[in-house]
Amino acid sequence: MTFARLRPLPDPDHLPALDKAYLSADPARDLGPHDHSPRILLLYGSLRERSYSRFCVEEAARLLQWMGCETRIFDPSDLPLPGSPGDDDHPAVRELREHALWSEGMVWCSPERHGQVSGLLKLQIDHLPLSMGGVRPTQGRTLAVMQVSGGSQSFNAVNTLRLLGRWMRMVTIPNQSSVAKAFQEFDEAGRMKPSAYYERLVDVMEELVRFTILVRPHSTQLVDRYSERKAAGIPIDAAADLSSIAIAAR
């Protein structure tokens, strides 16, 4: 499939606000197998030319790449409304779902609009079904949530993103980023200035890498559900299930 909606990342190796002496390029060492780079999909929530949620996502992607991840930033500019005629077959919807299936973790960043996430960020999440052809495009994946605000610091958007992540059966990491008065935190080139907000962004991405490496070998087992096994008529294999073996041995 040809991907026409991936945003190129400007200056991917330029990290002027980062002091690399304090950030390992392999922050998840010994936490799990490193047979391939963690795959992270990043979504932002504004189409403005100076979109601070996009700027945050780009800073996050640069940090993730420096820590050994493969990243994709999705451009949502031509997504249709959910439920509109033919929306499931729209090229933008199909591409978004392909990226979700490819990913092992995600970053969601929204501006706060009227005390909530933006419609554009919610639009992208609404196009990700819980189940798609027997495959779940979000279940068991890690998630980092971030928001930008025009005024004082708030956590309304990240709280809603956490709720949505839980609904999508994702492993949402404990840390989060909320950038207040975002218009003051980026230079004319859209790069984040050194600040406590930038350091929190680094913390969040470092934690996301660690959780992704830690979770991904076990993602299938962590979301294996009794109710779904029962509905599908798939009983536990006592020979392979350690809990069954332990119970039988008593």
Side-chain angles (χ1 to χ4, degrees), residues 17 59 183-187 191-195 197-198:
E59 292 292 352
F183 61 91
Q184 297 179 349
E185 300 301 321
F186 294 85
D187 63 21
R191 298 307 305 268
M192 200 167 185
K193 302 173 185 177
S195 69
Y197 291 129
Y198 180 80

Side-chain angles (χ1 to χ4, degrees), residues 12-141:
D13 301 319
H14 186 47
L15 296 164
L18 178 69
D19 189 336
K20 295 180 181 178
Y22 298 96
L23 180 65
S24 170
D26 185 12
R29 182 178 300 159
D30 300 327
L31 289 180
H34 283 51
D35 52 324
H36 65 275
S37 299
R39 300 190 295 264
I40 309 296
L41 173 64
L42 300 98
L43 307 180
Y44 59 93
S46 167
L47 296 179
R48 291 178 176 175
E49 183 177 354
R50 283 188 64 79
S51 166
Y52 297 111
S53 61
R54 191 186 78 242
F55 290 163
C56 270
V57 153
E58 289 173 348
E59 292 292 352
R62 293 183 187 99
L63 290 163
L64 289 167
Q65 289 189 13
W66 193 81
M67 289 184 281
C69 297
E70 185 179 353
T71 66
R72 294 180 181 180
I73 302 174
F74 180 73
D75 181 350
S77 56
D78 65 337
L79 275 175
L81 290 174
S84 57
D87 64 330
D88 284 338
D89 294 322
H90 192 283
V93 174
R94 292 202 308 269
E95 182 170 336
L96 173 61
R97 292 174 179 177
E98 285 291 328
H99 295 316
L101 290 170
W102 164 87
S103 72
E104 297 170 322
M106 295 189 192
V107 176
W108 295 348
C109 184
S110 176
E112 182 173 297
R113 296 273 176 84
H114 301 300
Q116 267 301 336
V117 300
S118 70
L120 183 66
L121 200 286
K122 182 62 162 55
L123 173 67
Q124 295 170 80
I125 298 170
D126 284 348
H127 277 301
L128 296 175
L130 285 174
S131 181
M132 186 172 62
V135 178
R136 300 189 185 277
T138 55
Q139 181 167 295
R141 288 162 174 78

Side-chain angles (χ1 to χ4, degrees), residues 160-178:
T160 295
L161 292 175
R162 285 188 175 279
L163 186 155
L164 289 167
R166 184 170 68 248
W167 187 262
M168 302 303 287
R169 303 180 182 179
M170 303 180 78
V171 180
T172 307
I173 68 171
N175 212 343
Q176 62 188 24
S177 170
S178 174

